[in-house]
Amino acid sequence: MTAFDDAAECLSASVELSVQGASVEALARSLGMTSRDAPTTWSLSSAGPVDSRDVRRHLQWLVDYLVPRAEVLRQIQGSDGVVVGVTCHWELASLGGGTTLRPGLMGALALLGLECRFDISFADEAPGENALQ
Amino acid sequence: MSTGSGSPYHRAPYDDDDGDCERVDVELRIYGQDLHPIEVSALLRLEPTSSQRRGQVSTPNQLGRTRTAALGHWFLSSEEQVASKDLRRHLDWLLGQLVPRATALRRLQATEGIRMTVSCIWWSARGRGGPAIGSEQMKALADLDLEFGLSISYYRDGGGGTVRE
């Protein structure tokens, strides 16, 4: 993978794993997630650990973090009424931008059973509103 | 908002009328110096949306200028086939074409000088929102050894311009 950590077209990038569900507090905590809207919404963000404007760096960090903890994630995903998702927050500087996901990264995300949603915003526009609801 | 079901490739509901999306197109792109579109079509048993051979001269544009192709290409696009603003619906359609042809695709991928990618262009309507890609779709793309290129475009005047390469 050729990373573009300082991609000019991107002002910021981060990835957030979100879990919604009242019944998974202990599991979410054991996964290192913090409460965003206690006690039903849990979040794990790459914004602190990863300093890059390339969203692929953030996704790879999430994969590397979750693979050793996949059993806990599977328990969360298997819990009744729980919604799990990955949101890629992407703030673009101009009229567009892009990325290329390699098969290996997509395969790893798929093995974890994760869907990815992009939440895109542009400079001078209202913030994105596409995070997991 | 209308949502769909029945696809093998998704979990979250689809939004075929996503108001944040102006247009979306998903395309298999095959390139090669010595690519012969007729041979690719015969191997895949599929007709492309657009194709050209290296050295082929394009029809004149509005200024009367022509362009000589440096590479051959064979593209298969979802845009005219899928009436939805949800990227996943377009990917479902494309994967529905490709998965049964996995063996032929692998033969093409193994051909020297051939490059292949799935390219998506998502035109934003309002400068917010964004597409989603499901885990089963990512698995299918990975199994086919296809990279997934995502381009985002936004025209503040609301016009979906053409940014095709």
Side-chain angles (χ1 to χ4, degrees):
Chain A
M1 178 182 85
T2 303
F4 298 95
D5 296 323
D6 301 312
E9 65 192 23
C10 180
L11 292 179
S12 68
S14 65
V15 164
E16 180 183 19
L17 175 72
S18 297
V19 172
Q20 281 187 346
S23 61
V24 292
E25 178 173 350
L27 289 170
R29 286 192 189 283
S30 73
L31 204 55
M33 304 185 82
T34 55
S35 176
R36 201 174 62 187
D37 179 20
T40 60
T41 303
W42 300 88
S43 171
L44 177 70
S45 174
S46 67
V50 182
D51 179 19
S52 172
R53 286 186 260 172
D54 190 325
V55 73
R56 295 171 299 181
R57 287 263 197 227
H58 294 263
L59 283 170
Q60 189 62 57
W61 173 85
L62 185 66
V63 166
D64 292 343
Y65 183 88
L66 290 176
V67 164
R69 300 165 175 87
E71 182 52 37
V72 178
L73 178 64
R74 268 193 285 276
Q75 287 182 50
I76 292 174
Q77 290 166 319
S79 302
D80 283 343
V82 169
V83 178
V84 181
V86 173
T87 303
C88 304
H89 300 283
W90 214 6
E91 185 183 8
L92 298 174
S94 58
L95 299 182
T99 191
T100 299
L101 302 182
R102 303 283 298 180
L105 179 57
M106 290 189 290
L109 287 163
L111 273 176
L112 292 166
L114 295 172
E115 171 171 300
C116 290
R117 177 169 290 279
F118 286 83
D119 175 33
I120 293 153
S121 59
F122 292 85
D124 304 325
E125 295 289 332
E129 299 171 354
N130 208 28
L132 185 70
Q133 298 295 308
Chain B
M1 179 181 90
S2 71
T3 58
S5 61
S7 162
Y9 293 117
H10 83 280
R11 291 177 181 170
Y14 282 24
D15 185 357
D16 293 315
D17 301 316
D18 181 2
D20 290 331
C21 177
E22 179 77 28
R23 288 167 56 192
V24 61
D25 183 26
V26 173
E27 197 166 65
L28 173 69
R29 296 181 172 183
I30 306 174
Y31 300 95
Q33 284 249 335
D34 300 318
L35 182 148
H36 292 243
I38 291 173
E39 292 176 6
V40 174
S41 297
L43 182 61
L44 295 178
R45 299 186 178 192
L46 203 56
E47 289 302 313
T49 309
S50 71
S51 66
Q52 68 181 16
R53 287 187 64 171
R54 181 166 60 108
Q56 190 172 322
V57 180
S58 67
T59 54
N61 64 14
Q62 291 175 331
L63 301 173
R65 293 178 180 154
T66 59
R67 193 168 59 91
T68 302
L71 285 175
H73 83 235
W74 189 102
F75 292 172
L76 181 64
S77 163
S78 69
E79 190 171 17
E80 296 298 319
Q81 307 296 325
V82 181
S84 171
K85 292 183 177 178
D86 193 313
L87 165 67
R88 293 167 296 180
R89 193 78 74 193
H90 290 253
L91 264 176
D92 284 344
W93 177 84
L94 185 65
L95 290 168
Q97 306 298 311
L98 302 184
V99 169
R101 297 171 170 87
T103 303
L105 279 172
R106 286 193 192 96
R107 278 184 61 191
L108 270 174
Q109 287 168 325
T111 305
E112 190 175 342
I114 293 287
R115 289 187 294 117
M116 198 179 298
T117 186
V118 170
S119 175
C120 167
I121 305 176
W122 192 88
W123 285 267
S124 174
R126 302 195 274 229
R128 67 185 192 203
I133 177 171
S135 62
E136 292 303 315
Q137 293 169 326
M138 288 192 280
K139 180 180 186 309
L141 288 166
D143 287 347
L144 292 169
D145 198 24
L146 289 169
E147 61 182 22
F148 176 72
L150 174 62
S151 296
I152 305 294
S153 287
Y154 176 42
Y155 298 85
R156 284 178 166 77
D157 61 5
T162 55
V163 293
R164 289 172 188 270
E165 292 165 7

